[in-house]
Amino acid sequence: MPVAVNTSTVCARHPHPKRLVSFLRPSLHCGISFRTSPGPNPRAIAMAAASQQQEQLVITRPDDWHLHLREGGVLEAVLPHSAKHFGRAIIMPNLKPPVTTTARAVEYREEIMRALPPGSSFVPLMTLYLTDNTSPEEIKLARKSGVVFAVKLYPAGATTNSQDGVTDIFGKCLPVLEEMVRQEMPLLVHGEVTDPHVDTFDREKVFIDRILAPLVRKLPQLKIVMEHITTMDAVNFIESCEEGHVAATVTPQHLLLNRNALFQGGLQPHNYCLPVLKRETHRQAIVSAVTNGSRRYFLGTDSAPHDKRNKECSCGCAGIYSAPVALSLYAKVFEEAGALDKLESFTSFNGPDFYGLPRNTSKIVLRKSAWKVPATYKHSSGEIVPMFTGNTLEWLPSEQSKE
């Protein structure tokens, strides 16, 4: 008696059932017959496409809108990790001494270009370090240079190498900010007060109330990026501003970690950064803001390498080295939020759109392929511990562009 085979099973596994029947035809004399489908099974095709999409993402090459590269041997060691995945990056100016002039920014850019791997198309976008003594003329020079794209505001003493930062933004710095409006030069803000009487975990909120909100009211046409936001208060402020004038970068650590990560299993120096990690409610607010498709937020790793010895000591440096793992971690966040379809806008579109730059044209591939984060990365005089050291991540970025 002939045996009927379920055609939906055949079609689900083999999108071309007629080809399958032809292959099995020699066995038909055994009394087994196959019913062929009149055509491809649409449901099976959709399922196969969805499965393939879940295993691989092809996105426009991202940019990193907040990156620390340092100098010398550290620069040479860490630059390839960013150049491998990102088309461009805003380079932070807090060196020793800081990059306060256009001439020094040009020199620093040349150092970066010399350290790039052969054949790399990575483009560093330079910034100036704002001080109480920065002049409007320097802003004009920066715009004419074609290599300086923003000015960074560090409140004096707020973070690594910020001792030369601003002390009087509404007095000494106001003429510079007015010139920045005329030159359409964005102001990048480390949004924390340094008042010792303000609790560390409240410094971002107080900065918004005391500095940022009044600044936006005083100079509504000044383009401002609130860097590495950490709180629900920052999200609420960004959402309250006019789109296109105030935006924010978001780091992988502030999307994935809360302040418990500093103390679990003992003090964890490699999870210490500034602004410091906050409560879980703040982390959830930032994840929600970033994954809902808003154009106000874009990728900024704040990848900040420090030698292992300077992290694991009695007074460890603030900074998390995330460049090698950042794209894998951002994909993890968007996947867990059910928002992988919005990942590309966050990584590749919102940043250049805000800065008025063209989007990248090359592509990269993110594959669902487990890989283990190395324990350390070596440099000329030591080693750097990356974020999520020793952990296994699920998304693996390709090393080559896919046109």
Side-chain angles (χ1 to χ4, degrees):
M1 178 179 178
V3 179
V5 176
N6 189 310
T7 56
S8 63
T9 302
V10 173
C11 293
R13 295 181 179 175
H14 304 278
H16 301 286
K18 291 183 180 179
R19 188 176 303 165
L20 175 67
V21 173
S22 175
F23 175 76
L24 293 175
R25 195 176 302 278
S27 67
L28 296 181
H29 70 275
C30 297
I32 300 176
S33 63
F34 292 80
R35 294 197 303 269
T36 61
S37 169
N41 186 318
R43 181 172 179 272
I45 293 174
M47 290 175 63
S51 176
Q52 183 180 11
Q53 186 175 18
Q54 290 173 358
E55 297 299 318
Q56 176 175 297
L57 291 173
V58 180
I59 63 172
T60 301
R61 182 171 291 276
D63 300 304
D64 187 346
W65 298 96
H66 188 124
L67 179 64
H68 298 270
L69 289 176
R70 313 305 190 201
E71 296 177 275
V74 174
L75 166 64
E76 293 173 358
V78 304
L79 178 57
H81 295 150
S82 293
K84 180 190 299 184
H85 299 150
F86 298 100
R88 297 165 290 196
I90 284 284
I91 310 301
M92 290 296 130
N94 57 330
L95 305 180
K96 290 183 178 180
V99 180
T100 58
T101 67
T102 302
R104 178 65 186 108
V106 171
E107 291 177 357
Y108 185 29
R109 184 181 188 276
E110 291 172 353
E111 293 172 28
I112 295 169
M113 297 302 291
R114 286 194 297 269
L116 280 173
S120 174
S121 59
F122 178 81
V123 178
L125 309 176
M126 310 311 293
T127 61
L128 296 187
Y129 185 114
L130 184 65
T131 74
D132 290 344
N133 299 316
T134 303
S135 69
E137 287 302 315
E138 194 64 56
I139 301 303
K140 294 177 183 178
L141 288 174
R143 174 55 73 195
K144 289 179 181 178
S145 73
V147 302
V148 176
F149 289 83
V151 176
K152 181 66 184 288
L153 164 62
Y154 291 101
T159 188
T160 303
N161 299 339
S162 63
Q163 59 272 17
D164 298 308
V166 169
T167 65
D168 184 11
I169 189 167
F170 292 110
K172 296 177 180 178
C173 293
L174 189 58
V176 172
L177 298 177
E178 291 172 337
E179 186 61 38
M180 289 173 62
V181 173
R182 288 189 285 270
Q183 298 296 330
E184 298 184 346
M185 181 77 71
L187 177 69
L188 316 183
V189 174
H190 182 111
E192 292 186 291
V193 297
T194 55
D195 184 340
H197 299 100
V198 176
D199 189 283
T200 296
F201 294 98
D202 295 332
R203 288 181 176 182
E204 186 169 275
K205 180 183 185 306
V206 174
F207 182 89
I208 293 170
D209 294 340
R210 291 184 184 176
I211 306 296
L212 197 52
L215 179 60
V216 170
R217 289 194 295 269
K218 191 171 189 65
L219 295 174
Q221 298 306 308
L222 178 64
K223 298 191 79 167
I224 297 174
V225 179
M226 190 175 183
E227 301 289 345
H228 43 51
I229 62 170
T230 68
T231 62
M232 184 185 304
D233 307 280
V235 170
N236 291 338
F237 177 75
I238 297 297
E239 298 291 341
S240 72
C241 296
E242 182 180 350
E243 185 176 303
H245 283 88
V246 181
T249 57
V250 185
T251 74
Q253 59 262 32
H254 293 113
L255 287 169
L256 284 164
L257 304 177
N258 62 36
R259 65 188 189 179
N260 288 342
L262 291 166
F263 311 110
Q264 289 172 337
L267 191 63
Q268 300 296 326
H270 298 289
N271 289 337
Y272 171 50
C273 60
L274 289 173
V276 72
L277 301 171
K278 302 299 195 300
R279 289 182 180 273
E280 175 64 9
T281 52
H282 293 296
R283 187 194 71 82
Q284 291 179 2
I286 296 170
V287 170
S288 178
V290 164
T291 59
N292 72 5
S294 172
R295 300 176 59 198
R296 301 170 187 264
Y297 308 95
F298 38 88
L299 185 159
T301 63
D302 193 19
S303 182
H306 290 284
D307 189 83
K308 181 179 179 181
R309 293 166 297 185
N310 295 329
K311 291 287 288 181
E312 299 177 4
C313 63
S314 61
C315 187
C317 297
I320 295 177
Y321 184 53
S322 62
V325 298
L327 282 184
S328 300
L329 296 180
Y330 284 122
K332 171 182 171 67
V333 170
F334 278 76
E335 181 180 37
E336 291 176 351
L340 278 175
D341 60 316
K342 297 179 175 64
L343 177 66
E344 186 178 34
S345 293
F346 172 77
T347 62
S348 312
F349 297 160
N350 297 346
D353 291 354
F354 181 86
Y355 275 82
L357 296 172
R359 297 174 178 179
N360 293 322
T361 56
S362 63
K363 306 286 184 180
I364 69 165
V365 180
L366 285 161
R367 292 187 175 87
K368 204 69 175 294
S369 177
W371 65 285
K372 189 173 182 179
V373 181
T376 63
Y377 291 97
K378 305 291 185 181
H379 64 93
S380 58
S381 59
E383 55 188 348
I384 301 164
V385 177
M387 185 178 179
F388 275 42
T389 175
N391 282 268
T392 298
L393 303 181
E394 295 184 355
W395 288 98
L396 179 64
S398 68
E399 296 189 9
Q400 295 181 342
S401 64
K402 182 174 181 179
E403 299 295 343

